Amino acid sequence: MSKSKSSKSWLKEHFDDAYVRKSRADGYRSRASYKLLAIQEKDHILRPGMVVVDLGAAPGGWSQVAVPLVQPGGRIIASDILAMEPVSGVDFVLGDFTEDSCLQQILELVDGQSVDLVISDMAPNISGMAEIDQPRAMALIELALAFAQQTLKPEGTLLMKVFQGEGFEAVLKEMRQQFSQVLSRKPDASRSRSKEVYLLGKGFRA
């Protein structure tokens, strides 16, 4: 089957992308690694000894960045609906985060420890129709926020991808109630046309 014009255009953009080429050269699995690296450089959210949960982790780019930064003594627990090749130092849960069974597996790995940082790069499969995609995205965002509220230790941190549009202001308002400081980040590796931004909540009010 021949590729559509739009898919050919996406493929050309993808393989011409400087961050795609850089990720291959640097040994990262995803261009998304550079989003977390940029936020880390600015906000220093990853530190040795931390317990970190990485939601929407596949193919593993954020976990790759996080592992060396939480050592010695840290832990990374990652989850995704898609399979992920193992990353040394990462405990991975394969499952749908919208289902209780997946959440329970993650909580079992947390094993009662206080989580220092939740990072979420979760996003739904995109249909191209905003009236479908935005509610799906917001549902995942609300689940990530609820998970952080359940597991973060006092003064813990949440970094999650959100999409500007319907529901964004409500999430921002809720985060401001739950965290002492809420910042918005748009790393250079985030494509300018994308509605994604990253909300960073510091100082969780447990």
Side-chain angles (χ1 to χ4, degrees), residues 52-126:
V52 179
V53 177
D54 180 4
L55 302 175
W62 278 24
S63 287
Q64 281 184 300
V65 170
V67 165
L69 294 171
V70 301
Q71 298 306 323
R75 289 189 68 203
I76 308 291
I77 300 159
S79 177
D80 202 292
I81 195 170
L82 300 174
M84 185 174 97
E85 289 295 321
V87 176
S88 179
V90 176
D91 294 311
F92 180 70
V93 173
L94 175 63
D96 185 344
F97 189 68
T98 65
E99 296 180 357
D100 286 343
S101 58
C102 179
L103 175 60
Q104 289 306 313
Q105 290 182 68
I106 297 170
L107 293 175
E108 286 172 11
L109 284 172
V110 172
D111 193 26
Q113 289 183 288
S114 294
V115 174
D116 297 282
L117 171 65
V118 174
I119 54 178
S120 173
D121 204 28
M122 287 195 296
N125 289 329
I126 301 300

Side-chain angles (χ1 to χ4, degrees), residues 17-202:
D17 188 296
Y19 285 103
V20 172
R21 296 197 303 270
K22 185 171 173 57
S23 65
R24 289 175 177 167
D26 293 344
Y28 287 122
R29 299 180 181 184
S30 168
R31 69 188 305 283
S33 297
Y34 299 100
K35 300 175 187 180
L36 183 57
L37 284 166
I39 293 168
Q40 170 66 11
E41 183 177 355
K42 188 176 186 68
D43 297 291
H44 310 290
I45 61 174
L46 290 153
R47 297 182 298 277
M50 278 186 150
V51 177
V52 179
V53 177
D54 180 4
L55 302 175
W62 278 24
S63 287
Q64 281 184 300
V65 170
V67 165
L69 294 171
V70 301
Q71 298 306 323
R75 289 189 68 203
I76 308 291
I77 300 159
S79 177
D80 202 292
I81 195 170
L82 300 174
M84 185 174 97
E85 289 295 321
V87 176
S88 179
V90 176
D91 294 311
F92 180 70
V93 173
L94 175 63
D96 185 344
F97 189 68
T98 65
E99 296 180 357
D100 286 343
S101 58
C102 179
L103 175 60
Q104 289 306 313
Q105 290 182 68
I106 297 170
L107 293 175
E108 286 172 11
L109 284 172
V110 172
D111 193 26
Q113 289 183 288
S114 294
V115 174
D116 297 282
L117 171 65
V118 174
I119 54 178
S120 173
D121 204 28
M122 287 195 296
N125 289 329
I126 301 300
S127 71
M129 293 182 284
E131 65 274 16
I132 295 174
D133 295 335
Q134 185 68 10
R136 287 177 177 173
M138 293 310 302
L140 290 175
I141 290 161
E142 289 166 3
L143 284 172
L145 181 54
F147 176 82
Q149 291 167 348
Q150 181 179 351
T151 59
L152 280 178
K153 72 177 188 181
E155 297 300 314
T157 301
L158 168 64
L159 173 68
M160 66 176 178
K161 176 157 66 183
V162 300
F163 295 89
Q164 297 177 32
E166 186 175 355
F168 175 82
E169 291 299 327
V171 168
L172 183 59
K173 180 179 179 181
E174 185 172 358
M175 284 192 67
R176 285 172 173 163
Q177 292 171 344
Q178 297 290 334
F179 294 87
S180 60
Q181 185 180 25
V182 179
L183 304 165
S184 178
R185 298 288 182 247
K186 179 81 171 176
D188 288 345
S190 181
R191 292 186 173 98
S192 58
R193 72 170 185 277
S194 172
K195 292 184 177 181
E196 72 174 23
V197 296
Y198 291 85
L199 290 182
L200 175 60
K202 294 183 173 182

